[in-house]
Amino acid sequence: MGTDAKGAGVVKRLLIDGKLVEAGRTYPSYAPATGEVFGHAPDAGVAEAEAAVAAARRAFDATDWAGDRELRVRCLDQLHQALVDHKEELRELTIAEAGASRMLTHGNQLEAPIKIVRYYADLLRTYPLSEELGEIEERGQRHRRWIEKEAGGVVAAILPYNYPNQLALAKLAPALAAGCTVVLKAAPDTPLVTLALGELIAEHTDIPPGVVNVLSSAEVAVGEALTTHPDVDIVSFTGSTQVGRQIMAAASGTLKRVFLELGGKSAMIVLDDADFDAAAMFAAFTICSHAGQGCALTTRLLVPRESHDEITAKVAASMERVKYGDPGDPATYMGPLISEKQRDKVHGMVQRAVEAGATLVTGGKKVDPGYFYRPTLLANVDPDSEIAQSEVFGPVLAVIPYTDEEDAVRIANNSIFGLSGAVHGRDQERALRVARRIRTGTFSINGGNYFAPDAPFGGYKQSGLGREMGVQGLEEFLQIKTLAAVVA
């Protein structure tokens, strides 16, 4: 980890056209566990964004990258090895800058994302880039027809702050496997983690200049430049639904392909035959994972009306056992929120929920120093209220009573979102029947884990467009060309 001459903490550089460069100015990155400046990132402007797009365009149009499968496999192998070799440096950086708990870095914050690169390197070795459609006879001649799958072009990949390694690699690895070139824009709150990835690419792989460019910026104009640039063919964005709508509108000017992984307000349904103790613990610890800063977390807990108080008490008891604090401590389960601004947003929503009639069972308090917020449980929540309809992005669980199974399904589907969900019940067939009625892109039955490199991830409704990871994640970055030739 580099420090500047004044000892101001970690300092990283942009990657543009194969060179690690500084910008004319920097901005601070804060450690959310302390609220103190952790390091400084280059504050790229529109000029740097345009230079990065130009480099990506040249690399796509004027080099063999898109057509050389062997080169792409070798480079992905090298990237995977570099990530493995520098895993501990990345771990400490992720803990410090993202506020991720150390135990989470052994899963979806770091080690699981590294496996995504391995998955796409292996998939590229065997994935069929052509498909025969067979011959037909037309006008007295035989015609051979086939499909070829080609790289989609220049990709602008725009990241949020919550899982910087996961989201960067879930975009970058399949894009590179497909033969695309990429401009990767870090989240303003976690720039150093993403810039570190750029440094590994520059220093430890044979990825040609311009194929991967990595930017950090506090300027909204940089994101706007990437989403509207005529030389960008595909926009891959993860973030809020509100910003996703803006990106989709901006991309329409040049009819770019758009992948959007957006917000969620997922419901966990506890059926009347469920193991209430297991379900309560699952619900409590899920909402506290990464301080609730996950779009697919189940933030609404739907419980039988007659068991509302019993289950609420069990969830509250489990929440009291959640250890929060220093994310570097191996025993810590939950770290801080990313910023004071985010903590204020979460606290404001909790206060409004109580004013609207919800019962505050536990939590609802800020904890200093840093940006910590106590695990919070709200009961007797109106399913149409703000806290039940809007994404909180904090450790806040809303308990909603339902009358019967039909009512539970109706409430679960009563959302503009459709990213994930869960159901708990001892009758597996009944639980599966309920799962199939919920309009979401992913779903967990009795704690089943759907999140892995080979499993497509994405949402229904306003939770987004397209899929990330799996074979489908690769195909987001491919174009289909249909060819025909007269058979001699």
Side-chain angles (χ1 to χ4, degrees), residues 312-333:
T312 297
K314 292 179 183 293
V315 175
S318 290
M319 277 191 169
E320 293 294 335
R321 294 198 292 273
V322 172
K323 178 176 172 53
Y324 63 88
D326 177 10
D329 183 343
T332 295
Y333 182 79

Side-chain angles (χ1 to χ4, degrees), residues 214-263:
V214 184
L215 303 177
S216 60
S217 178
E219 279 193 47
V220 173
V222 169
E224 293 175 347
L226 294 177
T227 57
T228 58
H229 201 293
D231 283 338
V232 170
D233 301 296
I234 301 171
V235 176
S236 179
F237 169 79
T238 300
S240 72
T241 293
Q242 177 184 0
V243 176
R245 294 187 194 111
Q246 295 169 357
I247 286 175
M248 192 171 182
S252 69
T254 49
L255 291 180
K256 301 183 192 308
R257 292 174 62 184
V258 177
F259 166 83
L260 301 173
E261 198 267 280
L262 307 175

